[in-house]
Amino acid sequence: VEFDFRVDPARLRALKSTKWREFGPDVLPAWVAEMDFPLAPPIKAALAAAIERDDTGYHDPAALPPVFAAWAGRRWGWEVLVEQISILPDVVTGIAECLRRLTPVGARVVLSSPVYPPFRAVIEQVDRVAVDVPLTESGDLDLAGIGAALTAGAAAVLLCSPHNPTGRVWTVDQLQELEALAAAAGAVVLADEIHAPLTLPGATHTVFGSWSNRAAGADSVVLTSAAKAFNLAGLKCSLAVAGSARVAAALEGLPRYVRNGTGHLGALASEAAFRDGDDWLAELLVQLDLNRDILATLLSGHLPRIGYQPPEAGFLAWLDCRKLKLGDDPAAEFLRSGGVALSSGPAFGPGGAGFARLNMGTSPALLAQIVQRMAMTGR
Ligand SMILES: Cc1ncc(COP(=O)(O)O)c(C=O)c1O
């Protein structure tokens, strides 16, 4: 099947969502984690059919779980029972609600910085305390550091798997060791796997707790959605999959106002994605695999002093701009003198100073313009 991954800047400038509007018409946006490609045809058809039916009521919570369970088995060999699944409005709401129900007020929650900024924000917003255990020099999870934080009393680990912003995919050994550490400490693991469907050739994603030998048996929950892989963030639908009985009971207790925050169109679009999206996703991954190489070529041509480790998953590139001497927040400089909006490194916490995150979920032509605009600053 041939899908359309062309990107038309005129169409994008006419969008009414935030990515292309936030910075106005003169700035090229490469910030928020949304892609510029047209929707997958099965999703577009499902949404158009819903509008045609005037079908805009509350979502049916029974519809999506079996479709997701089938996808999880097909894609990851992950056996999921529909009883384990809760449908929620979005992943960050799932994180907030799980922290509220699985840890006490004031609990310490481990995160591996630099990491997706809302992790820290949401921990603080639910009155818990973020404990940074930075990634190692090689960009790996610091399992010894996490173990020490857990021994010292941290109640939860908020894992980003694959990791945003670095695009690292964690190995099954790392994940199993993390589970053992959490189990020994009686801590819960919250695994945000929203980028997992975007695992690129060469890497293998393992769902947290999907291994058969769960003797270690930490409490855990996997939070995921179709939103990043299929570009559905504004439609509001995610899934929380309980990995233990205690977590399942906590999710069962979620209030109606949380569950009813799920968008019906989001649930329908997610169903179409998980049931009929495999072919489109396969072609998307070909495009993203190309893009990460194209970015390497563009950077070595225009900005060779930027450090770039291509991601193993996703469409985000974590750029080490320290040799450009643009200060702690190179994204601010790229915006000011290049008219290109990247995400600010320092927002990602310790390890973010001197870095910027670039969104390459776009066409090679726009990617080239993004780098050319950055080069106006960074020469
Ligand atoms: C790691 C991670 N988690 C969660 C989200 C946001 O997901 P949601 O809109 O479902 O809360 C993002 C978006 O970029 C993300 O990168």
Side-chain angles (χ1 to χ4, degrees):
V1 201
E2 284 283 313
F3 294 112
D4 184 2
F5 289 104
R6 276 171 306 179
V7 166
D8 170 11
R11 177 182 72 80
L12 296 165
R13 290 283 178 205
L15 294 178
K16 301 199 173 191
S17 50
T18 187
K19 180 179 178 184
W20 282 79
R21 288 167 76 94
E22 173 75 13
F23 294 95
D26 297 329
V27 170
L28 208 46
W31 61 293
V32 67
E34 295 178 11
M35 298 181 289
D36 290 338
F37 307 119
L39 282 176
I43 295 177
K44 209 163 178 166
L47 291 171
I51 300 299
E52 197 51 43
R53 290 192 303 272
D54 303 308
D55 189 357
T56 52
Y58 294 110
H59 82 285
D60 167 8
L64 183 55
V67 177
F68 178 80
W71 145 281
R74 210 163 65 234
R75 194 135 195 114
W76 288 303
W78 179 28
E79 266 183 62
V80 180
L81 303 174
V82 293
E83 295 78 32
Q84 292 171 266
I85 302 174
S86 295
I87 308 297
L88 300 176
D90 54 46
V91 164
V92 173
T93 298
I95 294 170
E97 296 301 326
C98 286
L99 287 176
R100 271 196 239 272
R101 279 163 182 78
L102 295 163
T103 67
V105 169
R108 275 170 285 157
V109 180
V110 173
L111 42 73
S112 298
S113 46
V115 72
Y116 179 59
F119 274 19
R120 182 182 318 275
V122 77
I123 290 167
E124 291 169 0
Q125 282 152 4
V126 299
D127 302 315
R128 273 64 176 170
V129 179
V131 177
D132 283 287
V133 179
L135 297 175
T136 65
E137 201 56 44
S138 61
D140 278 298
L141 291 172
D142 177 0
L143 288 164
I146 292 172
L150 291 171
T151 305
V157 177
L158 180 48
L159 178 73
C160 197
S161 177
H163 198 77
N164 172 3
T166 60
R168 284 293 294 271
V169 170
W170 308 124
T171 66
V172 64
D173 290 345
Q174 290 169 322
L175 296 170
Q176 288 185 337
E177 189 176 338
L178 177 61
E179 178 178 43
L181 293 169
V188 58
V189 178
L190 280 57
D192 175 338
E193 304 196 4
I194 196 168
H195 293 278
L198 295 172
T199 302
L200 294 167
T204 304
H205 173 76
T206 304
V207 176
F208 191 87
S210 64
W211 37 89
S212 52
N213 175 15
R214 293 211 65 196
D219 281 320
S220 63
V221 57
V222 171
L223 299 141
T224 190
S225 89
K228 293 296 140 191
F230 295 92
N231 230 37
L232 307 174
L235 294 181
K236 294 289 144 198
C237 178
S238 74
L239 302 98
V241 185
S244 62
R246 185 164 86 89
V247 174
L251 289 174
E252 253 167 54
L254 286 179
R256 251 185 101 79
Y257 73 82
V258 173
R259 295 179 185 279
N260 280 350
T262 300
H264 177 46
L265 294 179
L268 291 175
S270 304
E271 223 183 297
F274 291 131
R275 184 193 295 118
D276 301 321
D278 292 10
D279 292 346
W280 182 88
L281 182 58
E283 294 213 10
L284 172 71
L285 296 181
V286 170
Q287 182 67 55
L288 294 180
D289 186 19
L290 274 174
N291 282 12
R292 64 179 168 168
D293 291 345
I294 291 170
L295 181 61
T297 306
L298 286 166
L299 289 173
S300 64
H302 294 276
L303 287 159
R305 285 179 302 162
I306 285 186
Y308 164 58
Q309 192 67 43
E312 297 174 306
F315 51 84
L316 303 169
W318 183 236
L319 303 181
D320 181 351
C321 305
R322 288 174 295 186
K323 290 192 180 143
L324 299 181
K325 306 249 185 294
L326 299 175
D328 280 354
D329 188 7
E333 290 306 310
F334 294 137
L335 180 61
R336 200 172 53 78
S337 35
V340 58
L342 279 68
S343 298
S344 288
F348 291 76
F355 284 73
R357 194 192 71 179
L358 184 154
N359 179 340
M360 54 173 148
T362 191
S363 64
L366 278 186
L367 198 48
Q369 286 184 34
I370 288 165
V371 174
Q372 281 155 12
R373 286 185 179 216
M374 288 167 63
M376 290 167 62
T377 311
R379 244 192 299 269

